[in-house]
Amino acid sequence: MNNENQVYDINGTFTVEENQRDDTSMIVPVGEYAFTIIRKKIEQVNGVPNKIPPHTKVAFMLELITPEGNFRKWDELHFYKKCMWKVHELAVAIGHCTPEATAFQIDWNHFEACEGRVQVKVEDYTAKDGTTKQRNVFKYLPPAKQQEQGEEPF
């Protein structure tokens, strides 16, 4: 197993080293929005041999407040090394750690009802059937005071 497939315990302390992105979901209009986490689901994933290790996945539903109305959208956190950048990004956005933190924990007892801001983009991708479809890409933003100190959105 390569180092990118290191598995993490969701109740442990996490480290962040890489920035890579992957996402799936219904389409929310492009923009920057406030969100509230309204539900979470924790499950074990079998993984894919030689690619993704068996690990814990936390799926969570966001309620996004947009000028077009509120949208509910599921997103996921995967607890193995290659994906820990996103865990850190969300933890910063909801105030569970600072942007500088290299070791942190998420308070799962207070995860639901957490609020933050997210920048939403739409990207095209090729589905398994060969058709071109669209999906949202989320970048969780640090609280406004930290963003004003030089954090750049993507």
Side-chain angles (χ1 to χ4, degrees), residues 4 6 8 14-23 60 75-93 97-99 101-102 104 106 118-119 123 136-141 154:
E4 287 184 343
Q6 180 178 340
Y8 293 87
F14 315 123
T15 58
V16 180
E17 297 176 17
E18 300 185 27
N19 285 330
Q20 298 180 8
R21 174 169 305 284
D22 192 12
D23 186 29
F60 56 99
D75 200 4
E76 303 175 341
L77 299 175
H78 293 268
F79 285 80
Y80 66 99
K81 189 173 185 173
K82 185 176 178 179
C83 298
M84 293 311 291
W85 66 270
K86 186 172 180 179
V87 176
H88 181 258
E89 186 178 85
L90 180 63
V92 170
C97 74
T98 65
T102 57
F104 62 100
I106 292 179
V118 65
Q119 186 175 38
E123 71 177 18
N136 286 123
V137 177
F138 285 166
K139 176 168 180 54
Y140 295 98
L141 302 173
F154 74 120

Side-chain angles (χ1 to χ4, degrees), residues 22-138:
D22 192 12
D23 186 29
T24 63
S25 62
M26 63 185 249
I27 302 303
V28 174
V30 171
E32 186 178 307
Y33 307 115
F35 71 83
T36 302
I37 298 172
I38 59 173
R39 188 176 311 147
K40 77 175 181 291
K41 179 171 61 170
I42 300 172
E43 60 187 48
Q44 295 302 308
V45 176
N46 291 331
V48 177
N50 300 319
K51 289 186 179 185
I52 300 172
H55 64 279
T56 302
K57 173 178 83 172
V58 176
F60 56 99
M61 183 179 282
L62 301 172
E63 183 164 63
L64 301 158
I65 298 122
T66 78
E68 294 84 9
N70 292 359
F71 287 81
R72 289 188 173 187
K73 155 135 178 51
W74 284 97
D75 200 4
E76 303 175 341
L77 299 175
H78 293 268
F79 285 80
Y80 66 99
K81 189 173 185 173
K82 185 176 178 179
C83 298
M84 293 311 291
W85 66 270
K86 186 172 180 179
V87 176
H88 181 258
E89 186 178 85
L90 180 63
V92 170
I94 63 175
H96 285 220
C97 74
T98 65
E100 303 80 28
T102 57
F104 62 100
Q105 290 183 312
I106 292 179
D107 181 353
W108 296 108
N109 293 325
H110 297 99
F111 184 71
E112 294 168 302
C114 282
E115 298 176 340
R117 294 201 54 82
V118 65
Q119 186 175 38
V120 178
K121 283 190 167 187
V122 176
E123 71 177 18
D124 292 334
Y125 72 98
T126 304
K128 290 181 181 179
D129 63 7
T131 60
T132 300
K133 297 186 177 185
Q134 292 187 318
R135 63 180 163 206
N136 286 123
V137 177
F138 285 166

